[in-house]
Amino acid sequence: MDKKKKRSITRGAILVVLLAAIVYTVYSSATNDKVKVLQVGDKAPDFELVDLYESGLNHRLSDYEGKGVFLNFWGTWCEPCKKEMPAMSRQYATYKDQGVEVLTVNIAQTEFEVKKFLESLDVHFPAVIDDTKVVMTAYNINPLPTTILINPEGRVEKIITGEMSEAQIASYMESIKPEQE
């Protein structure tokens, strides 16, 4: 085969790959817009995921109705996630007896990776893994970390993207704490 023919075949293959990438990007953008974007005031989508530490324990969002839920989405590779987790753990220790639940949702990493990461930080709060990214999609999560504050009525109170300071975490937990009777 001569050089000209090889070059033509190579260029054709590159063109096909580029065209496929463009079609995929356009399709992705078009279908991504069809996912309803979660907004403040919306009813938080219910879900059920298995606890990372307690075998057989499922966390269903609807089971927390009447409590404030601090729903945090994260990944082990995410530096801001790593920085805010110890503060979340300390604030959870303060607020869990006041009707605020923390539920951290890892995005599709292995159980081994997630456990090793959490144990290295010595944090103590419920953790689940969203293996199929169904919950991430329902909440339209991007980027990580993202925290959804859910009030005791099950409605989205606030959506926070990016790293939070300990003072912010305490303030957010205070804001979703149920009224004491």
Side-chain angles (χ1 to χ4, degrees):
M1 193 183 305
D2 66 351
K3 283 186 175 185
K4 255 187 173 177
K5 195 167 188 168
K6 278 185 176 176
R7 217 175 319 155
S8 290
I9 291 171
T10 304
R11 285 180 181 157
I14 290 171
L15 188 60
V16 167
V17 169
L18 286 173
L19 195 58
I22 290 168
V23 168
Y24 174 77
T25 303
V26 169
Y27 173 77
S28 251
S29 304
T31 56
N32 194 24
D33 292 342
K34 292 179 184 170
V35 173
K36 184 184 179 299
V37 176
L38 194 66
Q39 296 179 352
V40 171
D42 288 351
K43 182 82 174 151
D46 198 15
F47 62 86
E48 183 174 346
L49 293 171
V50 179
D51 189 272
L52 189 61
Y53 292 102
E54 291 188 50
S55 182
L57 175 63
N58 289 348
H59 292 279
R60 182 179 294 116
L61 185 64
S62 55
D63 290 344
Y64 295 112
E65 199 147 316
K67 294 182 174 194
V69 179
F70 191 91
L71 184 62
N72 178 262
F73 292 85
W74 63 280
T76 61
W77 46 265
C78 166
E79 277 305 311
C81 301
K82 186 176 184 175
K83 289 179 187 173
E84 70 185 10
M85 287 209 159
M88 282 174 30
S89 185
R90 287 189 294 273
Q91 292 307 313
Y92 177 56
T94 299
Y95 282 93
K96 68 180 177 184
D97 294 332
Q98 297 177 46
V100 175
E101 289 294 330
V102 168
L103 184 56
T104 62
V105 181
N106 174 270
I107 306 301
Q109 291 186 267
T110 67
E111 190 175 317
F112 176 77
E113 284 177 294
V114 174
K115 280 184 175 179
K116 186 176 171 191
F117 178 81
L118 293 174
E119 287 164 6
S120 76
L121 294 175
D122 193 32
V123 293
H124 306 282
F125 41 62
V128 296
I129 300 173
D130 184 11
D131 291 325
T132 58
K133 297 186 179 180
V134 170
V135 179
M136 177 184 165
T137 302
Y139 281 82
N140 209 12
I141 299 302
N142 189 24
L144 295 180
T146 293
T147 301
I148 312 289
L149 302 181
I150 302 169
N151 68 25
E153 291 75 43
R155 299 218 166 265
V156 175
E157 193 76 26
K158 189 167 181 68
I159 301 169
I160 303 117
T161 56
E163 183 181 343
M164 300 172 286
S165 69
E166 187 152 358
Q168 288 172 313
I169 291 168
S171 171
Y172 292 144
M173 287 188 184
E174 184 68 34
S175 76
I176 58 172
K177 185 171 76 170
E179 297 289 322
Q180 299 300 320
E181 295 170 17

